[in-house]
Amino acid sequence: TARTLVIGWGSTYGPITAAVRRIRGAGQTIAQAHLRHLNPFPANLGQILRSYDRVVVPEMNLGQLAHLLRAKYLVDARSLNQVTGLPFKAEQLAQAIIAKAEESADV
């Protein structure tokens, strides 16, 4: 029943999982996916991405995965980027995910 998917890869698994748990604990519905391989993408990834109204991509870079997802699958993947050399903090990431999901809903 979730309308928002949070998708990541690599080292973002822990912070994304913690943030999604916080969001679910607050009573909101949200889905999570984590990619193990980027090349090739999973065969059903396009179908999965298109089944959500909003796709949020937290990354510890300038948004390369979101760019790849937008280019290949033509979905409006919203980036959450952090390039500070420090990992995401779960509470800050949860708040940012909610803000991105609401921002996408307003468009």
Side-chain angles (χ1 to χ4, degrees):
T1 61
R3 297 179 61 196
T4 301
L5 171 69
V6 181
I7 186 167
W9 72 284
S11 65
T12 59
Y13 177 78
I16 290 173
T17 300
V20 166
R21 282 188 190 141
R22 287 174 185 257
I23 293 167
R24 288 178 181 157
Q28 297 178 329
T29 58
I30 192 161
Q32 176 186 0
H34 201 78
L35 301 172
R36 290 186 182 197
H37 305 286
L38 299 182
N39 192 16
F41 279 128
N44 64 341
L45 183 57
Q47 177 184 357
I48 291 169
L49 294 173
R50 285 187 288 275
S51 66
Y52 292 93
D53 295 340
R54 294 172 292 281
V55 177
V56 180
V57 188
E59 297 185 75
M60 300 295 298
N61 56 40
L62 296 176
Q64 286 88 338
L65 177 57
H67 178 74
L68 290 172
L69 295 175
R70 283 192 294 264
K72 183 164 177 81
Y73 300 108
L74 302 176
V75 296
D76 184 21
R78 300 292 177 121
S79 290
L80 283 174
N81 305 340
Q82 180 171 304
V83 189
T84 61
L86 299 171
F88 286 114
K89 293 187 176 171
E91 182 59 34
Q92 291 171 335
L93 185 55
Q95 291 173 3
I97 290 169
I98 291 169
K100 280 289 182 185
E102 290 172 354
E103 172 186 304
S104 298
D106 293 339
V107 175

